[in-house]
Amino acid sequence: MSAPPALQIREANAHLAAVHRRVAELEARLDAAERTVRAQAERLARHDQQLRAALEELGRAKDCEIAALQEQLLTSEATVHSLQAAVRQRDELIGQLQPRAELLQDICRRRPPLAGLLAALAEAERLGPLPTRDPSHPLPGGLSPRLANSTGEEEDRDRLQPAVFGTTV
């Protein structure tokens, strides 16, 4: 076998050098890509850890808020029950006081006529009893004493009792 010509050897060496450079370049790119992937993986792992921690914190905050809201709900329900009981008691009291209020309104409506009646009774009391008259002489106005004060049920009595006015208020 004969030795390859020098030109072929140089071309082969040049080709090997080019392949070697290309391999070195590819290894450098591969190394850089591996570093980038590792860095991204580390960033993703840290980010994932941060998100997990944030999610756990949100879960704890949610649980605390739910507990606080449940406590507030229980307090509110107790307040509602207390207020409902107070309303029932007041309704019962109103039911008891309603007839009395109606009676007082009726009394207030009747007060002016009663005041007039009391004033008339006081005036009659001030005037005093009538002097005793002879039954045979009629009173001024043509009425006999018997008819002036008679209710019809007292016909069997001969003489009427004198009227005495007074107030008991």
Side-chain angles (χ1 to χ4, degrees), residues 20-42:
H20 184 64
R21 280 192 306 274
R22 181 71 179 144
V23 167
E25 181 185 313
L26 289 174
E27 284 178 345
R29 285 179 62 192
L30 177 63
D31 196 31
E34 286 176 346
R35 282 192 307 268
T36 302
V37 167
R38 270 194 301 270
Q40 287 177 345
E42 289 173 4

Side-chain angles (χ1 to χ4, degrees), residues 31 35 49 73 82 101 111 119 166:
D31 196 31
R35 282 192 307 268
Q49 187 179 9
L73 178 64
S82 172
R111 185 174 179 206

Side-chain angles (χ1 to χ4, degrees), residues 93-112:
L93 182 60
I94 287 170
Q96 293 171 357
L97 294 177
Q98 188 67 35
R100 294 173 189 225
E102 291 169 2
L103 179 63
L104 286 174
Q105 287 176 342
D106 190 37
I107 289 171
C108 288
R109 277 193 303 272
R110 295 180 186 195
R111 185 174 179 206

Side-chain angles (χ1 to χ4, degrees), residues 146-147 149-160:
R146 181 179 190 130
L147 293 176
N149 202 13
S150 177
T151 62
E153 297 173 2
E154 303 167 345
E155 292 178 8
D156 56 344
R157 291 189 197 168
D158 288 341
R159 184 160 159 79
L160 293 175

Side-chain angles (χ1 to χ4, degrees), residues 41 43-61:
R43 274 195 307 258
L44 285 174
R46 281 193 306 270
H47 187 65
D48 186 51
Q49 187 179 9
Q50 290 170 348
L51 289 177
R52 286 180 194 269
L55 188 60
E56 287 176 8
E57 181 61 32
L58 283 174
R60 284 191 297 273

Side-chain angles (χ1 to χ4, degrees), residues 49-106:
Q49 187 179 9
Q50 290 170 348
L51 289 177
R52 286 180 194 269
L55 188 60
E56 287 176 8
E57 181 61 32
L58 283 174
R60 284 191 297 273
K62 175 198 63 130
D63 292 342
C64 288
E65 188 172 350
I66 286 173
L69 289 173
Q70 285 175 334
E71 184 177 327
Q72 186 179 3
L73 178 64
L74 291 175
T75 302
S76 296
E77 286 176 346
T79 302
V80 165
H81 290 302
S82 172
L83 291 174
Q84 286 174 336
V87 166
R88 279 192 299 274
Q89 287 176 347
R90 287 190 180 141
D91 286 346
E92 290 174 9
L93 182 60
I94 287 170
Q96 293 171 357
L97 294 177
Q98 188 67 35
R100 294 173 189 225
E102 291 169 2
L103 179 63
L104 286 174
Q105 287 176 342
D106 190 37

